Amino acid sequence: METFLAQLVKVQPAPEPWVVVVSALAALAVVTFAASWRVARGLVTIAHEGGHALMALLTRRKLEGIRLHSDTSGVTLTRGRPTGPGMVLTALAGYPAPSLLGLAGAALTVQGRITLLVWVVLLLLVCMLLLIRNLYGALILLVTGGAVFALSWFAPIEAQQAVAYAAVWFLLFGGVRPIVELQRKRRRRQARDSDADQLARLTFLPGGFYVASFLLVAAASAAAGGYLMSPF
């Protein structure tokens, strides 16, 4: 256990600048191209629903469970007052969660805490697995968690660094695109039950205000994370 804890908090040397640049370009490509985004978007959904679940617990709402679907959508089921601060904060937490998680990851990567970052992600996935209420959601979390565990246990530190940087860049970039997609659907009146529209019904502010707020948090997180991880 002492050896494990020592390894967990060990500071790894900074990667070569080209590793940071290539990982950023790779993550940007995955988010930009439709085919790769359709496959990878589910990872953003995991963070999104995890944000709802965490806030529900913090606001003392009863968490019924989480469902992740094969179309990369998801839903977090909670029980409690249908209005009030707890419901508002729970609805608010979804869209900013991937970006804020990416920003936290950026802070750890630039400190060389790659192993700590990997195991924190693994712990979060295990906690989320306990809340999953459908087979596909359990399967996707097991696959993701297995990949993270294999990375931490078998991959050399250079590979861990490259994957960690790519994953953090992906969360920073990937946190922006779903918000843009949300607004497009709202313009076509295809997202009447979106988080933004639920918040509009819960408060006196329009849904567009919340979309703008989500986008501001995502853009600020991407800018701050990019600044932290920039090798130049």
Side-chain angles (χ1 to χ4, degrees), residues 34 109 124 126 137 166 170 177 196 201 206 218 221 229:
T109 55
L124 292 175
V126 170
F170 172 75
R177 180 162 178 171
R201 292 192 288 268
S221 298
M229 295 195 297

Side-chain angles (χ1 to χ4, degrees), residues 138-148:
L139 179 62
I140 197 67
L141 283 179
L142 286 172
V143 171
T144 305
V148 173

